[in-house]
Amino acid sequence: MIDNTTEKLTKIVAFSINDKEYGVDVQNVVSIEKMMPITRVPNVPTYIKGVINLRGVIIPIIDLRSRFQIEEKPYDEHTRIIIMKVKDKRVGLIVDLANDVIQIDGEKLESQPEIIGVEKKQYIDGIMNIEDRLLIILNIEQIVNVQLSKRNEGGM
């Protein structure tokens, strides 16, 4: 989670989904991997594509296009899996393209406009305008927490 209450420079891993740029705190990123075979798991929501075995660690994979209710597209050579560490858990996020690592000033992080949907709002820390780029900063802890709470409700 990005701290926007104090003057703080933070590095963000920027990535794209459906030509929109998103970012996550680099401190949560373990690695960025090319697409690899995913083993499907029965009786999970459609946005959970399954699991991968990455160097002996079994990691659940979430397709952010599907999670954000964006039309799915076939994976290609630009598709990446961003392996995130949230507390003691690891999760992979499928994105269209991993762009770069940029440094941001947490004080310039703006709240999301009210027009953005209620469900998605909980995943968003804020929005940042960097030169000509509009970057949506995601709260990965909220994305993972929602997954866990739905699992506890029998959704997974």
Side-chain angles (χ1 to χ4, degrees):
M1 182 174 189
I2 304 298
D3 180 7
N4 62 354
T5 58
T6 61
E7 184 174 333
K8 183 178 176 185
L9 296 177
T10 303
K11 288 188 176 179
I12 296 292
V13 172
F15 58 91
S16 297
I17 301 172
N18 201 31
D19 296 326
K20 304 246 183 318
E21 276 198 291
Y22 297 85
V24 290
D25 191 335
V26 75
Q27 292 181 355
N28 295 104
V29 176
V30 175
S31 64
I32 299 174
E33 307 290 334
K34 291 182 177 179
M35 272 309 283
M36 59 183 68
I38 299 172
T39 302
R40 291 208 170 266
V41 177
N43 301 319
V44 295
T46 56
Y47 52 85
I48 297 177
K49 295 302 176 185
V51 295
I52 61 170
N53 182 346
L54 183 65
R55 296 180 274 280
V57 178
I58 305 299
I59 300 172
I61 303 297
I62 297 171
D63 188 325
L64 285 183
R65 269 184 171 267
S66 179
R67 184 65 189 115
F68 294 158
Q69 299 175 354
I70 298 170
E71 183 180 347
E72 291 191 39
K73 71 170 200 164
Y75 303 134
D76 60 27
E77 70 273 7
H78 301 291
T79 305
R80 295 291 183 263
I81 300 174
I82 300 177
I83 306 297
M84 307 286 297
K85 183 176 183 183
V86 182
K87 298 179 182 171
D88 61 341
K89 298 177 178 22
R90 290 190 184 206
V91 63
L93 306 176
I94 298 174
V95 301
D96 292 351
L97 176 70
N99 298 341
D100 53 6
V101 177
I102 55 176
Q103 186 164 307
I104 64 169
D105 181 350
E107 285 191 337
K108 294 182 179 177
L109 190 64
E110 298 176 23
S111 299
Q112 64 178 307
E114 291 295 324
I115 195 165
I116 295 177
V118 174
E119 182 182 0
K120 293 178 184 174
K121 185 176 182 179
Q122 61 187 322
Y123 307 140
I124 298 174
D125 269 348
I127 297 174
M128 181 163 278
N129 190 4
I130 303 171
E131 297 172 8
D132 292 338
R133 300 165 71 177
L134 191 61
L135 197 64
I136 299 169
I137 308 299
L138 297 178
N139 184 327
I140 190 63
E141 289 183 20
Q142 285 298 316
I143 291 173
V144 172
N145 281 340
V146 169
Q147 300 303 313
L148 294 175
S149 65
K150 288 191 178 204
R151 181 183 311 162
N152 292 337
E153 293 170 4
M156 188 169 168

